Coordinates of all heavy atoms in Angstrom, one line a residue:
M581 N 11.2 -26.7 -28.2 CA 11.0 -25.5 -27.4 C 11.1 -25.9 -26.0 O 10.3 -26.7 -25.5 CB 9.7 -24.8 -27.8 CG 9.4 -23.5 -27.1 SD 10.3 -22.1 -27.9 CE 9.4 -22.0 -29.4
V582 N 11.9 -25.2 -25.2 CA 12.0 -25.4 -23.8 C 11.6 -24.2 -23.1 O 12.1 -23.1 -23.3 CB 13.4 -25.8 -23.4 CG1 13.5 -26.0 -21.9 CG2 13.9 -27.1 -24.1
E583 N 10.6 -24.3 -22.2 CA 10.2 -23.1 -21.4 C 11.0 -23.2 -20.1 O 11.1 -24.2 -19.5 CB 8.7 -23.2 -21.0 CG 7.7 -23.1 -22.2 CD 7.8 -21.7 -22.9 OE1 8.0 -20.7 -22.2 OE2 7.5 -21.7 -24.1
R588 N 11.8 -17.0 -20.5 CA 12.2 -17.0 -21.9 C 11.9 -18.4 -22.5 O 11.8 -19.4 -21.8 CB 13.7 -16.7 -22.1 CG 14.6 -17.7 -21.4 CD 16.0 -17.3 -21.5 NE 16.8 -18.1 -20.7 CZ 17.4 -17.7 -19.5 NH1 17.3 -16.5 -19.1 NH2 18.1 -18.5 -18.8
S589 N 11.8 -18.4 -23.8 CA 11.7 -19.7 -24.6 C 13.0 -19.9 -25.3 O 13.6 -19.0 -25.9 CB 10.6 -19.6 -25.6 OG 9.3 -19.5 -24.9
I590 N 13.5 -21.1 -25.3 CA 14.7 -21.5 -26.0 C 14.5 -22.6 -27.0 O 14.0 -23.7 -26.6 CB 15.8 -21.9 -25.0 CG1 16.0 -20.8 -24.0 CG2 17.1 -22.3 -25.7 CD1 16.8 -21.2 -22.8
Y591 N 14.7 -22.3 -28.2 CA 14.5 -23.3 -29.3 C 15.9 -24.0 -29.4 O 16.9 -23.4 -29.7 CB 14.1 -22.7 -30.6 CG 13.9 -23.7 -31.7 CD1 12.9 -24.6 -31.6 CD2 14.8 -23.7 -32.8 CE1 12.7 -25.5 -32.6 CE2 14.6 -24.7 -33.8 CZ 13.5 -25.5 -33.7 OH 13.4 -26.4 -34.7
T592 N 15.9 -25.3 -29.2 CA 17.1 -26.1 -29.3 C 17.3 -26.9 -30.5 O 18.2 -27.7 -30.6 CB 17.2 -27.0 -28.0 OG1 16.1 -28.0 -28.1 CG2 17.1 -26.2 -26.7
E593 N 16.4 -26.9 -31.4 CA 16.4 -27.7 -32.7 C 16.5 -29.1 -32.3 O 17.3 -29.9 -33.0 CB 17.5 -27.2 -33.6 CG 17.3 -25.8 -34.1 CD 18.4 -25.3 -35.0 OE1 19.1 -26.2 -35.6 OE2 18.5 -24.1 -35.2
G594 N 15.9 -29.6 -31.3 CA 15.9 -31.0 -30.9 C 17.1 -31.4 -30.0 O 17.2 -32.5 -29.6
G595 N 18.0 -30.4 -29.7 CA 19.1 -30.7 -28.9 C 18.7 -30.6 -27.4 O 17.6 -30.2 -27.1
Y597 N 19.1 -28.9 -23.6 CA 19.4 -27.6 -22.9 C 19.4 -27.9 -21.4 O 18.5 -28.4 -20.9 CB 18.3 -26.6 -23.3 CG 18.5 -25.3 -22.5 CD1 19.3 -24.3 -22.9 CD2 17.8 -25.1 -21.3 CE1 19.5 -23.2 -22.2 CE2 17.9 -24.0 -20.6 CZ 18.8 -23.0 -21.1 OH 18.9 -21.8 -20.4
E608 N 24.4 -26.4 -24.4 CA 23.6 -26.9 -25.5 C 24.3 -28.2 -26.0 O 25.5 -28.3 -25.9 CB 23.5 -25.9 -26.6 CG 22.6 -24.8 -26.3 CD 22.4 -23.9 -27.5 OE1 21.8 -24.4 -28.5 OE2 23.0 -22.8 -27.5

Side-chain angles (χ1 to χ4, degrees):
M581 182 80 69
V582 175
E583 294 292 331
R588 62 182 171 254
S589 296
I590 300 168
Y591 181 68
T592 63
E593 295 184 19
Y597 171 84
E608 286 185 71

